[in-house]
Amino acid sequence: MKALAIDYINPKTDHKFHLPISIFKKPNNAKEYAMLEKFLDKLIDEVRNDEKHPLALVMQIIGDNLEQYDNEHYPTIGHHINEIDMVKYLMKSHQLNQNDLADVFGSQANVSKFLNGERSLSKNQIAGLKKKFGISADFFIK
């Protein structure tokens, strides 16, 4: 039995694409991922920014499947760092103490309560940390 496939020839460039239906399957391992990634690179070269290209949807599906695999198998950078650890790191790297963050937290006592896990960050405190350290609020929003 012959496997189902889609064949496409670009009339402008005469580039030929043979798309086995399995190309739409989500990867289950690194080998399948690498094969799909290689194929996606060829599609990107072909499609470029042409959203109306007949292969644009194929490119999007493969890209989405690879992204889902990445999200399931490779956690985001810093996923294991909580906001307390982040603030402690920022304090240490900027050589600050609790008093130096009193303007962000309202008082040194509030800084202490936060660092001891007795209080969570408010939106205003996140905004203050963002401004003070020049970092993204994404570090504190989970």
Side-chain angles (χ1 to χ4, degrees), residues 42-61:
K42 290 178 185 177
L43 286 172
I44 290 171
D45 288 341
E46 179 72 21
V47 174
R48 302 281 176 191
N49 293 328
D50 182 3
E51 293 179 13
K52 296 183 191 256
H53 192 288
L55 296 176
L57 182 59
V58 174
M59 187 175 77
Q60 180 183 351
I61 292 169

